[in-house]
């Protein structure tokens, strides 16, 4: 998450729920095509401390695919996968493909900024276009789904959610044009 914003929100969720768990925040913090060449780790750490959520956050200061290789060695399951890195299609696809195998059945995959660009293409192809996810929902610019095999009813709901997402995308685009 950019400078810890989403990480902090998720950490507050753990704190409020009384959970003694960790958020593994994977980011090389070296910027992107979208943000340019910036090093954001000091500001990330400052924000994590400022909001007193350090005990809930385990930074993994590395590229996503490197972190996934290390994760595989520990064989840790994931119950919530939040994908919010580069918006380039190849990067979002890579994040999904390297981390999806660790998400347990009944776990949730969520994509931020999923109404356009790379995240939208990945969500359309790998979430809406798959029988491995159900309960697909779109909230603002976030698309999330539960990992499992879909029933025929789930497939119908998924097609309805896709139509809703297209309507939201149109409204989002119009809003950006006239903002």
């Amino acid at each position: 998450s950019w400078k810890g914003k989403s990480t902090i929100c998720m950490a507050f969720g753990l704190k409020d729920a009384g959970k003694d768990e960790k958020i593994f925040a994977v980011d090389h913090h070296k910027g992107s095509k979208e943000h340019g060449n910036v090093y954001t780790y000091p500001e990330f750490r400052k924000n994590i401390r400022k909001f007193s959520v350090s005990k809930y956050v385990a930074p993994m200061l590395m590229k996503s695919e490197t972190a996934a290789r290390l994760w595989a060695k520990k064989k840790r399951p994931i119950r919530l996968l939040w994908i919010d890195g580069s918006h380039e299609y190849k990067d979002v696809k890579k994040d999904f493909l390297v981390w999806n195998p660790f998400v347990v059945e009944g776990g949730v995959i969520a994509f931020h900024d999923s109404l356009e660009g790379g995240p939208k293409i990945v969500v359309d192809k790998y979430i809406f276009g798959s029988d491995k996810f159900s309960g697909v929902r779109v909230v603002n610019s976030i698309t999330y789904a539960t990992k499992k095999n879909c029933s025929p009813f789930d497939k119908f709901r998924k097609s309805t959610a896709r139509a809703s997402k297209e309507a939201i995308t149109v409204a989002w685009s119009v809003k950006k044009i006239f903002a």
Side-chain angles (χ1 to χ4, degrees):
S1 66
W2 181 247
K3 299 179 182 178
K5 185 177 176 181
S6 298
T7 304
I8 290 165
C9 290
M10 287 185 274
F12 276 131
L14 286 175
K15 189 175 182 179
D16 290 349
K19 301 282 185 183
D20 189 25
E21 298 183 31
K22 292 272 187 200
I23 296 161
F24 292 86
V26 178
D27 194 332
H28 54 71
H29 290 279
K30 294 179 181 175
S32 65
K33 197 179 235 185
E34 179 184 5
H35 295 109
N37 187 18
V38 295
Y39 187 64
T40 60
Y41 187 65
E43 196 163 353
F44 172 86
R45 293 299 303 158
K46 182 182 99 181
N47 290 334
I48 296 298
R49 284 191 301 273
K50 176 181 174 182
F51 289 96
S52 303
V53 294
S54 295
K55 85 174 227 173
Y56 300 100
V57 179
M60 295 181 76
L61 190 60
M62 61 192 73
K63 289 186 174 191
S64 184
E65 58 272 18
T66 304
R69 280 195 302 276
L70 292 173
W71 198 268
K73 290 178 183 177
K74 297 199 181 234
K75 298 181 178 152
R76 296 183 77 151
I78 294 176
R79 289 181 290 132
L80 171 63
L81 176 61
W82 174 257
I83 297 179
D84 183 21
S86 164
H87 294 152
E88 296 295 313
Y89 169 71
K90 67 178 180 54
D91 296 331
V92 181
K93 177 183 173 184
K94 186 181 341 173
D95 284 344
F96 173 78
L97 293 176
V98 300
W99 289 100
N100 177 46
F102 303 112
V103 179
V104 298
E105 185 172 320
V108 173
I109 295 182
F111 293 82
H112 189 239
D113 296 326
S114 61
L115 300 179
E116 58 191 10
K120 180 184 186 315
I121 297 166
V122 171
V123 165
D124 286 347
K125 181 174 182 177
Y126 294 100
I127 302 298
F128 285 115
S130 170
D131 287 345
K132 304 290 186 223
F133 298 94
S134 66
V136 181
R137 299 285 186 271
V138 179
V139 178
N140 296 322
S141 67
I142 299 166
T143 300
Y144 66 95
T146 302
K147 187 175 184 179
K148 64 182 177 182
N149 289 324
C150 298
S151 70
F153 177 71
D154 286 325
K155 289 178 184 177
F156 170 75
R157 281 199 351 212
K158 196 186 290 190
S159 68
T160 304
R162 182 185 298 215
S164 297
K165 182 179 178 200
E166 293 304 321
I168 290 169
T169 302
V170 170
W172 182 269
S173 299
V174 169
K175 179 180 170 187
K176 286 174 68 174
I177 291 168
F178 292 105

